[in-house]
Amino acid sequence: MTGPDEPAALHATDLGFRYRARGDRALRDCGFTVPRGRITALVGRNGAGKSTLLHLAGGLLNPTHGRIRVLGSAPGTAAARTRVALLTQDRPLYPRFTVADTLRMGGKLNPSWDRSVAERVVREGDIAPTARVGELSPGRRTRVALALALGKRPDLLLLDEPLADLDPVVRAEIMATLMAEAAEREVSIVMSSHVLPDLEQTCDWVLLLRAGRVELSEDADALREGHTLLTGHVDEEPALREHTVVRRRTHGRQLTALVRPRGPVGGDWHVERPGLEEILLGHLQEGAAAENGEAA
């Protein structure tokens, strides 16, 4: 088990990044802490800064201002490189290599290489060691890339939309592999994904970005307990003024509101406890409405 004095998986202070070629700011004034031993959902709309954040954490980019630490170390340093693995969207692999060649390369590049783990991940996908990487299906290429990442025996695994183009069956198989690794070795995982249903049962921490800023960094169970879904007559809306309304919608005279209550909610409401997917959608939709100049 990780102790209370161990450094966080990710910690950022006033973190910002600007792409100089384009001139736009991908991240600004980000401060957050992701505890160790968590499976974290990194959520946000396209352009929110998710990939930029993961590339900063993986040492592929350097902050424009502020700082970020991974397991207490600066990304890209020797201390971080041996303990952190990053799997990006493009799954960088050599297409002419066989699967066996790819795993041998992993062993040569990583001093903590665990051949048995890498081979098990490949074997569970029914992938022939003699198959060329470039001839594999997207799902099997993802599994080979994941074998490289897990064979490194990282303490922190960063995943940038690795499952986006996979069918539900393959996605479920790879998620099961990740869950088993997290449970057996207490690997901290930060996973960017647009597939919100996948996150409901797997992630226990949420990091939500909106327009380059951190809007949420919270325990998933605390998020569920801290939100309420209310349905009632529009005349009851004044009762919500003392609370944080994340998202409200009206259908005729019926009002539905996702709320973070600051105490008892007065009025005649039908009350439900929303799931994580509904909470995340509410925050993302509220963000989209604000960016478009609509009322939340």
Side-chain angles (χ1 to χ4, degrees):
M1 296 290 291
T2 56
D5 297 328
E6 294 199 38
L10 284 180
H11 179 74
T13 306
D14 193 31
L15 178 66
F17 183 82
R18 181 190 295 272
Y19 286 98
R20 290 182 174 84
R22 303 198 305 257
D24 59 331
R25 294 169 65 181
L27 295 173
R28 61 188 74 193
D29 308 322
C30 293
F32 63 87
T33 297
V34 174
R36 287 195 64 183
R38 299 298 192 113
I39 301 178
T40 299
L42 176 58
V43 182
R45 293 170 61 85
N46 289 337
K50 303 185 300 298
S51 292
T52 300
L53 176 57
L54 289 175
H55 287 193
L56 287 165
L60 300 183
L61 296 173
N62 294 316
T64 303
H65 63 82
R67 76 172 204 168
I68 184 170
R69 292 291 181 266
V70 291
L71 303 171
S73 302
T77 61
R81 283 197 300 269
T82 58
R83 303 179 67 194
V84 178
L86 169 63
L87 178 53
T88 58
Q89 291 177 340
D90 53 2
R91 299 182 289 267
L93 298 168
Y94 293 101
R96 294 188 178 182
F97 276 24
T98 66
V99 174
D101 292 336
T102 301
L103 298 190
R104 277 194 291 270
M105 178 187 67
K108 292 179 180 178
L109 295 178
N110 297 291
S112 59
W113 182 252
D114 191 324
R115 176 181 170 183
S116 63
V117 169
E119 290 181 343
R120 173 174 55 80
V121 173
V122 168
R123 187 170 58 251
E124 288 174 352
D126 195 26
I127 304 171
T130 56
R132 293 195 182 276
V133 169
E135 298 173 357
L136 297 175
S137 67
R140 288 184 167 183
R141 283 199 300 272
T142 295
R143 186 173 281 278
V144 173
L146 186 61
L148 279 179
L150 294 178
K152 186 179 180 179
R153 280 300 195 188
D155 293 311
L156 173 61
L157 178 59
L158 307 171
L159 302 171
D160 186 10
E161 289 282 359
L163 313 181
D165 57 351
L166 306 182
D167 68 58
V169 173
V170 175
R171 207 164 60 232
E173 291 173 352
I174 292 180
M175 286 297 296
T177 298
L178 291 172
M179 293 291 291
E181 190 70 10
E184 292 171 12
R185 296 197 57 252
E186 296 185 349
V187 178
S188 302
I189 299 174
V190 179
M191 179 172 58
S192 168
S193 177
H194 287 296
V195 187
L196 298 185
D198 284 353
L199 307 178
E200 180 78 45
Q201 302 299 324
T202 58
C203 295
D204 56 11
W205 193 269
V206 171
L207 185 59
L208 188 146
L209 295 179
R210 172 179 159 189
R213 299 180 188 272
V214 175
E215 181 168 321
L216 296 173
S217 180
E218 297 186 41
D219 176 85
D221 284 339
L223 271 177
R224 294 184 184 96
E225 294 170 3
H227 286 75
T228 300
L229 188 65
L230 303 173
T231 304
H233 196 276
V234 292
D235 291 345
E236 303 286 350
E237 186 167 13
L240 302 180
R241 291 173 181 167
E242 298 179 1
H243 309 282
T244 300
V245 178
V246 176
R247 183 67 171 162
R248 64 179 293 281
R249 289 185 175 180
T250 56
H251 303 277
R253 303 298 292 169
Q254 179 176 289
L255 169 66
T256 300
L258 179 65
V259 178
R260 298 198 82 164
R262 298 174 182 170
V265 180
D268 185 16
W269 298 98
H270 174 71
V271 180
E272 296 180 63
R273 181 71 68 197
L276 185 60
E277 179 184 359
E278 193 162 19
I279 293 169
L280 296 178
L281 275 174
H283 281 272
L284 293 172
Q285 290 168 345
E286 186 273 340
E291 290 164 19
N292 292 328
E294 303 170 9

